[in-house]
Amino acid sequence: MGARFAVIVFGVTAFLANGQDASVGLNSLTPVEFSQLSQSDPNPLGENALAIRPDQWKHAETEHFIYHFVHDFVATPVSTEAEFHYRVVVKELQRDPLTTDIKSHIYIFERPEEWQQFQQFGHLEQWTGGIHSAGSLFIQRNPAYRFADNSLGHEIVHLVLHRFYTDAIPCWLDEGLAQFISKDSQASYQRARGHLSKPHSESIAPGDLIPIRTLTMLTYPPSDRVHTFYNESERLVRFLETTDKPSFLKLLDALARHQPFETALGQFYPANFATVAGLDEKFRDYASKDFGSSLQQVSN
Ligand SMILES: [Zn+2]
């Protein structure tokens, strides 16, 4: 009995002496020295971020991401979620993950005033409140608040897309894919943790639809129609993808090589939508399906 008691006391002492928080589990990130990170971030915004209260930053990495953060217990759930979404995106895009071993950098701010200070360097994505730039992601996480929506997943999709298409893809496709994949991925992530969750795709009021020709030419979400732009882009990706997935992946590759939308559409969807006008007509019903009803769930 005496020996057993001694072991327990020793265990508790070691735990506290280690300075670990009780909420840190077995899979918590292990901080490493900045100089020990396996890759650097060529993005100048990364340097700007780490220059804000430089002594506060800790660093760690997982298989596909490198994290810069203040508290382990804030960064650890971000890392679990990031790797989860990474696997979903790679599977969804049917890409060989071995084509690149570049890790994306994720900077996690905690204090609102420092996050505000940082915002002068980059452009805030209105949809998620994060900043992604040249394959790096900058976000704010309030330690007291646990994120349950798909905004981190949305940004992870952008990061993974950037790994495979470094030369950028059209805005509607980037945002549409980020919404489409992250909604499904977030629902799976929640279900894997015992929560009831179904992906929720927003339908669009028929009168609000942006014509596809206009939508596909936009280089930036229009400030007066942000909501419609994201939802419609998501529905268009969902529509094209569920109509014919192999064609969708070919379309994605062609658009990433800056081919005109109409040419690529006619090439890969000749039987379904030979022209943008034809697509527009068929997409209308799908985009507004169940609008105004309580049955807006679209799941595949
Ligand atoms: Zn986005």
Side-chain angles (χ1 to χ4, degrees):
M1 283 295 276
R4 197 167 147 206
F5 179 74
V7 168
I8 293 168
V9 168
F10 176 76
V12 170
T13 311
F15 184 71
L16 294 176
N18 217 2
Q20 296 237 338
D21 189 288
S23 64
V24 176
L26 284 174
N27 297 319
S28 75
L29 285 174
T30 310
V32 295
E33 288 296 320
F34 184 72
S35 59
Q36 297 302 307
L37 289 172
S38 68
Q39 296 177 15
S40 60
D41 186 359
N43 190 332
L45 290 195
E47 214 167 45
N48 291 336
L50 299 182
I52 296 174
R53 275 228 302 154
D55 56 330
Q56 72 178 330
W57 295 100
K58 293 201 261 181
H59 320 275
E61 53 188 293
T62 56
E63 197 177 349
H64 302 101
F65 300 94
I66 291 175
Y67 311 88
H68 308 276
F69 57 95
V70 181
H71 290 106
D72 310 14
F73 68 91
V74 175
T76 295
V78 170
S79 70
T80 312
E81 213 185 314
E83 286 291 347
F84 181 91
H85 294 309
Y86 174 88
R87 287 192 294 276
V88 174
V89 185
V90 168
K91 196 170 160 218
E92 187 65 35
L93 298 177
Q94 298 176 5
R95 298 303 302 250
D96 177 3
L98 299 176
T99 49
T100 172
D101 62 357
I102 293 177
K103 295 189 181 192
S104 315
H105 288 252
I106 301 179
Y107 299 78
I108 308 165
F109 286 81
E110 289 182 15
R111 291 154 65 98
E113 56 274 29
E114 287 165 18
W115 176 237
Q116 272 161 22
Q117 193 186 335
F118 177 74
Q119 282 174 35
Q120 64 178 298
F121 300 118
H123 192 91
L124 202 68
E125 179 169 1
Q126 295 179 59
W127 202 249
T128 64
I131 291 173
H132 64 93
S133 156
S136 301
L137 175 65
F138 305 85
I139 50 172
Q140 192 207 352
R141 279 289 188 264
N142 181 339
Y145 178 64
R146 212 178 164 81
F147 279 68
D149 69 8
N150 67 319
S151 55
L152 180 62
H154 176 109
E155 294 294 356
I156 296 299
V157 181
H158 284 317
L159 290 186
V160 181
L161 280 169
H162 188 272
R163 291 160 72 100
F164 296 121
Y165 302 105
T166 42
D167 206 16
I169 57 174
C171 188
W172 72 272
L173 188 55
D174 201 12
E175 298 304 343
L177 269 170
Q179 278 299 84
F180 171 60
I181 301 178
S182 67
K183 277 169 183 266
D184 289 3
S185 183
Q186 183 66 25
S188 317
Y189 187 77
Q190 294 293 345
R191 281 197 303 274
R193 278 147 189 81
H195 303 289
L196 279 174
S197 189
K198 279 181 95 178
H200 182 79
S201 167
E202 298 275 338
S203 59
I204 301 117
D208 289 349
L209 280 171
I210 303 168
I212 291 178
R213 202 175 293 281
T214 311
L215 184 82
T216 52
M217 305 263 283
L218 290 167
T219 54
Y220 194 74
S223 54
D224 56 336
R225 304 181 77 180
V226 170
H227 204 76
T228 305
F229 175 83
Y230 279 91
N231 288 334
E232 188 174 335
S233 297
E234 189 269 343
R235 277 260 160 142
L236 183 56
V237 165
R238 197 175 282 270
F239 187 53
L240 291 167
E241 212 255 23
T242 50
T243 299
D244 186 339
K245 179 143 186 182
S247 291
F248 176 74
L249 293 174
K250 287 180 201 152
L251 181 81
L252 170 61
D253 282 344
L255 296 179
R257 286 182 286 108
H258 305 178
Q259 303 299 301
F261 182 67
E262 181 125 38
T263 314
L265 187 70
Q267 191 180 349
F268 301 119
Y269 286 89
N272 306 94
F273 334 104
T275 63
V276 173
L279 170 63
D280 217 318
E281 212 179 294
K282 290 180 178 160
F283 175 62
R284 259 167 201 284
D285 288 343
Y286 184 84
S288 303
K289 198 167 128 193
D290 300 326
F291 179 77
S293 85
S294 56
L295 298 167
Q296 287 197 16
Q297 299 275 10
V298 172
S299 48
N300 304 306

